[in-house]
Amino acid sequence: MSKKTVVRIIIDFVIFLAVIQGWWFVALPIGLAAVLNLPYYAEIVIAGIFYDSLFGLMPGSGIDGYLASIVTLTAYIILTGLKKVVRD
Amino acid sequence: MMKLSGANNRGRYRFAVSILFSVIVVIVAGTFLYFPQIYSSLFAAVARPFWRIQFAVNSGVLKTEEILIMENETLKRTIYEQNLNQATVRELELENLELKDLLGRASTTDGILAAVLVKPPLAPYDELVIDLGYDFIHSTTSRVYAPGHVLIGKISEISGQVSKVRLFTSPGQKVEVEIGPKHYPVTAIGRGGGQYEAQLPRSALVLEGDIANTSYLGDRFFAKVVSVIDDPASPFVKILLASPVNIYQLRWVMVEN
């Protein structure tokens, strides 16, 4: 197992624990840093859905209930595109 | 030629991955929007074991038996102390309410607050002993009011530190009152036990629950009709009245100067 894979698994686990605790302010910066530094870090989107499933989606919460999913998906698309532009 | 073929393959691979990713996002977003409970239950099931572990750790599963016993004892002691404090607070609240009631309504009158030292049934004949003496009370005709500014009696004896209050419900005591919506004037005679008796002609329309007021005190609530006894042999009806104040539970009174 390569070093990058180990780092990726550790980051996944830290984000997972942060999301379980509801600490979006921990999970989000780590996730964004991971998107910038690791290839195809789609776990951030799963983390967003995970967060919304646990703490969003209240009846009557409207779009607020999907905020984490929207933010993570948008961040993933933008940062992945940005990475490609910077590298090219 | 080989390079071009490799670049083409990579391009195709990326395109396929992007398409796959987009399809997955669309499917997930669709189910997420229309069936959010699926994700909630799924992810909650994933998170639950971790939450349980956290709860167990926070609840003291890692603590030793001695520490738990000690904590238990401390908590029991705290609960006991809290209960005692609460009982004291409740008692003070009650006292505060009674005093506010008494002082608030009597603020325009020149009254003196007195604590009831002895009351029925310990005191006989519907009498009270209050903690005011010569220093505060100068007249044996001073009226005495219960909380709610209900007239209940008069000072009958004054000594150095205490005074006696003869309640109007004391047997034989007479008070002029007006009964019912038509204000029939009548003399209420004390019967003891917080009750009065009065007589009215049979033609007078008085019902149970009617109010009796003392006219000379500005129509203040004095008593309530609890029973109307109609004897066909008598030209009068006997009316039993009860004071709105429970004389067995009086703790404070106001003495008019």
Side-chain angles (χ1 to χ4, degrees), chain B residues 129-254:
Chain B
V129 179
I130 59 172
D131 69 342
L132 294 179
Y134 280 124
D135 294 343
F136 297 98
I137 303 173
H138 309 294
S139 165
T140 52
T141 55
S142 296
R143 293 183 194 119
V144 178
Y145 295 88
H149 212 278
V150 177
L151 180 65
I152 54 168
K154 278 184 180 177
I155 298 289
S156 59
E157 279 179 50
I158 310 171
S159 60
Q161 300 294 322
V162 295
S163 301
K164 267 188 185 175
V165 178
R166 172 68 57 87
L167 300 180
F168 289 133
T169 53
S170 192
Q173 290 288 305
K174 292 179 181 173
V175 191
E176 298 301 322
V177 294
E178 293 176 348
I179 299 181
K182 297 210 170 173
H183 302 283
Y184 297 112
V186 68
T187 304
I189 303 166
R191 278 167 54 101
Q195 289 205 327
Y196 306 94
E197 182 186 314
Q199 281 193 329
L200 272 174
R202 293 174 69 86
S203 58
L205 192 67
V206 174
L207 301 170
E208 279 181 30
D210 279 353
I211 302 295
N213 296 314
T214 49
S215 56
Y216 60 95
L217 284 169
D219 281 338
R220 281 183 178 123
F221 184 24
F222 179 75
K224 192 174 172 184
V225 176
V226 289
S227 179
V228 180
I229 300 164
D230 187 2
D231 181 6
S234 168
F236 296 100
V237 285
K238 193 192 273 185
I239 295 160
L240 298 182
L241 302 136
S243 173
V245 177
N246 188 342
I247 57 168
Y248 302 103
Q249 292 177 355
L250 272 178
R251 295 176 69 205
W252 310 94
V253 290
M254 183 71 84

Side-chain angles (χ1 to χ4, degrees), chain B residues 46-74:
Chain B
V46 173
R48 202 170 295 126
F50 292 90
W51 284 337
R52 280 196 181 143
I53 292 168
Q54 189 188 6
F55 178 74
V57 170
N58 289 342
S59 304
V61 79
L62 301 176
K63 288 178 185 169
T64 63
E65 201 175 319
E66 287 79 26
I67 290 173
L68 285 174
I69 290 170
M70 229 159 66
E71 265 185 14
N72 196 5
E73 283 300 316
T74 313

